[in-house]
């Protein structure tokens, strides 16, 4: 496919600071100090609240005249002091975006504590971080670097799980880990800053999404063993459970029994949907698209093309190799134009993509749904997640004729 060379400078994803705000605004007692110009402040506050953040975001009034006048640091310090006047605030993440980073915000000139609150600078400029999933990684690794108690004695059979997941998946993971003998589990991103402290005491870390590269690098330097992959699909579920058992030196006989049981449950769900047929394109910007593609392929569907906004990483290499071997064309750092060309080239029966791509597909009578709200907001792990995803896909594929008729109807209107 031809690529728009101008677009190479502008990866098509939400402002990356949004991803960091998803992590930071969910922490109890946190109040973000956003160091940005007014346009960024408006946009980032809007999308953060739209995606269920329920905490205020405060900001110094930064305009170009103030930045060029050299008062930026003083303005930020004043804003921090004002936020700290609220005794309920226990953590003030100072999020710096493009304008502040370009002007040069010096961390050493900011306080480490104000009032009852710990203060931490989190740098999230779009010219350095290319997508909002990767900004989650920056936020998590920054908090671990500041707060994690890596000097403490490691807890035996303890596991850190890294990946923004939803409650049903968290419950499923916790249940399975308990069955195999894991005694302590911490999940990040977390709503409690204490979890970032306790994360330094774990023996191993299961990284569910491939974009947490900075977090993994930090943990490895601190002696934490890493497990990549995730329990999506029958084979990968069993493999994931066994890898956790091995890295924590658990009773492998018991682990293999649980792994086989979970594999059988997931395989039974896949078999239930074994009559599915069709061609699906997956094109999201959440960074967790390839495991979903793997599941669709395991069901027997064709996925000729998949794209994501993140870069190709070592953590996701196993999925990349498998999907490539099975014939899926994979695009990293995707552009909308590439996705649109893929729709024209492959003529899919279903598109699971971004809102812009969905509109493009629907105009052509192709069923399409928004990846973020329909996949990332649902469970995907183990048998329960498999049933949820495949049930939705089956329903959409069954409505192909409805979309075709709608296109014909609106095409024939005078």
């Amino acid at each position: 496919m031809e690529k728009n060379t101008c677009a190479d400078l502008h990866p098509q994803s939400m402002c990356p600071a949004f991803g960091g705000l998803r992590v930071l605004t969910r922490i109890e007692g946190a109040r973000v100090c956003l160091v940005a110009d007014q346009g960024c402040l408006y946009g980032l506050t809007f999308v953060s609240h739209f995606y269920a953040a329920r905490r205020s975001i405060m900001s110094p009034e930064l305009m170009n005249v103030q930045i060029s006048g050299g008062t930026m640091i003083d303005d930020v310090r004043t804003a921090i002091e004002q936020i700290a006047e609220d005794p309920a605030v226990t953590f003030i993440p100072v999020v710096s975006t493009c304008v502040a980073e370009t002007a040069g915000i010096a961390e050493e000139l900011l306080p480490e504590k104000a009032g009852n609150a710990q203060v931490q600078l989190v740098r999230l400029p779009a010219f350095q971080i290319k997508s909002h999933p990767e900004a989650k990684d920056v936020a998590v690794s920054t908090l671990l670097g500041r707060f994690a108690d890596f000097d403490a004695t490691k807890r035996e059979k303890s596991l850190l799980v890294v990946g923004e997941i939803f409650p049903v998946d968290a419950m499923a993971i916790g249940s399975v880990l308990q069955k195999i003998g894991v005694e302590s589990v911490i999940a990040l991103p977390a709503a409690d800053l204490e979890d970032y402290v306790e994360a330094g005491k774990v023996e191993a870390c299961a990284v569910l999404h491939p974009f947490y590269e900075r977090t993994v690098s930090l943990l490895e330097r601190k002696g934490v063993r890493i497990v990549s992959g995730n329990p999506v699909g029958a084979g990968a579920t069993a493999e994931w459970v066994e890898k956790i058992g091995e890295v924590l030196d658990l009773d492998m006989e018991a682990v293999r029994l649980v792994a086989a049981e979970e594999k059988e449950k997931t395989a039974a769900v896949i078999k239930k949907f074994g009559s599915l047929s069709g061609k699906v394109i997956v094109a999201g910007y959440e960074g967790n698209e390839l495991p979903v593609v793997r599941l669709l392929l395991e069901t027997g569907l064709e996925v000729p093309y998949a794209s994501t906004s993140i870069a190709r990483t070592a953590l996701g290499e196993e999925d990349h190799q498998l999907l490539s071997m099975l014939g899926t064309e994979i695009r990293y750092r995707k552009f909308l134009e590439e996705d649109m060309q893929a729709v024209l080239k492959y003529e899919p029966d279903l598109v699971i993509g971004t809102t812009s791509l969905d509109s493009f597909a629907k105009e052509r009578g192709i069923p399409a749904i928004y990846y973020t709200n329909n996949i990332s907001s649902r469970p995907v792990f183990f048998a329960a997640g498999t049933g949820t995803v495949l049930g939705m896909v089956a329903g959409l594929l069954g409505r192909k004729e409805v979309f075709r008729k709608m296109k014909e109807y609106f095409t024939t209107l005078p």
Side-chain angles (χ1 to χ4, degrees):
M1 295 182 187
E2 292 184 5
K3 186 182 287 188
N4 182 336
T5 54
C6 179
D8 287 348
L9 300 175
H10 310 283
Q12 295 172 349
S13 174
M14 285 191 205
C15 170
F18 164 67
L21 289 171
R22 279 181 70 99
V23 172
L24 299 168
T25 55
R26 284 163 169 74
I27 297 175
E28 294 294 335
R31 187 166 299 166
V32 171
C33 177
L34 183 62
V35 190
D37 63 24
Q38 288 185 336
C40 295
L41 172 62
Y42 171 79
L44 287 167
T45 301
F46 173 80
V47 294
S48 294
H49 287 309
F50 182 79
Y51 281 91
R54 287 182 288 225
R55 289 184 176 82
S56 298
I57 293 175
M58 299 186 69
S59 176
E61 185 187 4
L62 287 180
M63 302 295 287
N64 290 338
V65 64
Q66 292 172 292
I67 292 169
S68 60
T71 65
M72 180 177 69
I73 290 293
D74 291 336
D75 293 339
V76 174
R77 290 175 65 92
T78 299
I80 291 171
E81 291 169 5
Q82 290 174 347
I83 295 170
E85 289 175 2
D86 184 347
V89 176
T90 55
F91 178 41
I92 304 174
V94 179
V95 175
S96 60
T97 57
C98 295
V99 172
E101 286 294 311
T102 302
I105 184 166
E107 186 167 12
E108 63 271 15
L109 297 180
L110 300 179
E112 287 193 356
K113 190 170 184 180
N116 294 327
Q118 300 291 333
V119 180
Q120 177 62 46
L121 177 63
V122 183
R123 301 181 187 273
L124 298 174
F127 58 77
Q128 182 182 47
I129 304 164
K130 301 304 182 184
S131 69
H132 80 269
E134 290 158 302
K136 297 175 190 177
D137 177 33
V138 172
V140 170
S141 60
T142 300
L143 296 183
L144 285 173
R146 167 72 184 277
F147 297 110
D149 187 3
F150 289 114
D151 293 329
T153 302
K154 300 295 184 187
R155 291 199 185 97
E156 288 188 9
K157 301 178 182 179
S158 59
L159 183 71
L160 171 63
V161 178
V162 175
E164 189 181 23
I165 58 176
F166 288 82
V168 174
D169 273 336
M171 290 169 61
I173 288 174
S175 174
V176 170
L177 293 178
Q178 187 177 34
K179 285 181 187 177
I180 64 175
V182 179
E183 295 180 359
S184 173
V185 180
I186 294 173
L188 297 181
D192 192 335
L193 198 58
E194 186 63 23
D195 287 339
Y196 289 89
V197 178
E198 295 299 311
K201 303 174 185 178
V202 300
E203 284 190 321
C205 174
V207 186
L208 299 175
H209 300 141
F211 49 81
Y212 284 101
E213 292 187 291
R214 291 174 176 85
T215 300
V216 165
S217 178
L218 171 63
L219 293 170
E220 285 183 322
R221 290 198 305 271
K222 299 298 183 178
V224 177
R225 295 181 292 253
I226 303 297
V227 175
S228 61
N230 42 59
V232 177
T237 290
E239 183 180 342
W240 185 82
V241 173
E242 290 190 15
K243 284 196 292 187
I244 299 295
E246 289 168 358
V247 78
L248 291 179
D249 195 25
L250 304 177
D251 178 351
M252 287 308 296
E253 184 177 349
V255 169
R256 290 189 187 97
L257 284 174
V258 174
E261 179 184 326
E262 294 301 323
K263 179 178 181 179
E264 185 177 340
K265 289 179 185 176
T266 306
V269 174
I270 292 174
K271 185 177 180 181
K272 174 184 172 183
F273 291 96
S275 59
L276 285 182
S277 64
K279 196 183 298 180
V280 182
I281 279 178
V282 177
Y285 51 49
E286 295 294 335
N288 58 358
E289 291 79 14
L290 297 193
V292 175
V293 174
R294 188 179 69 219
L295 174 60
L296 298 180
L297 290 170
E298 194 170 350
T299 314
L301 292 165
E302 292 180 67
V303 186
Y305 174 91
S307 71
T308 181
S309 64
I310 67 168
R312 182 174 174 179
T313 70
L315 290 168
E317 189 60 21
E318 192 172 325
D319 277 344
H320 177 92
Q321 295 297 336
L322 175 62
L323 302 190
S324 297
M325 182 183 70
L326 295 174
T328 299
E329 177 187 355
I330 304 169
R331 293 280 172 155
Y332 299 96
R333 295 271 186 257
K334 51 89 70 64
F335 305 107
L336 174 61
E337 293 78 9
E338 292 176 320
D339 293 346
M340 292 165 68
Q341 289 177 36
V343 170
L344 297 176
K345 176 180 177 181
Y346 294 111
E347 299 181 339
D349 300 299
L350 171 64
V351 170
I352 307 174
T354 58
T355 50
S356 299
L357 185 66
D358 292 349
S359 298
F360 181 77
K362 287 174 183 176
E363 288 172 359
R364 284 150 185 79
I366 301 170
I369 56 169
Y370 182 27
Y371 184 93
T372 298
N373 286 3
N374 289 280
I375 298 294
S376 284
S377 63
R378 283 179 162 82
V380 295
F381 299 143
F382 299 105
T386 296
T388 300
V389 172
L390 296 184
M392 181 182 61
V393 169
L396 289 162
L397 288 171
R399 297 174 64 194
K400 287 187 295 182
E401 190 63 18
V402 174
F403 277 79
R404 186 189 64 78
K405 287 180 178 178
M406 280 197 299
K407 180 193 173 188
E408 288 179 357
Y409 172 77
F410 286 108
T411 303
T412 56
L413 284 177

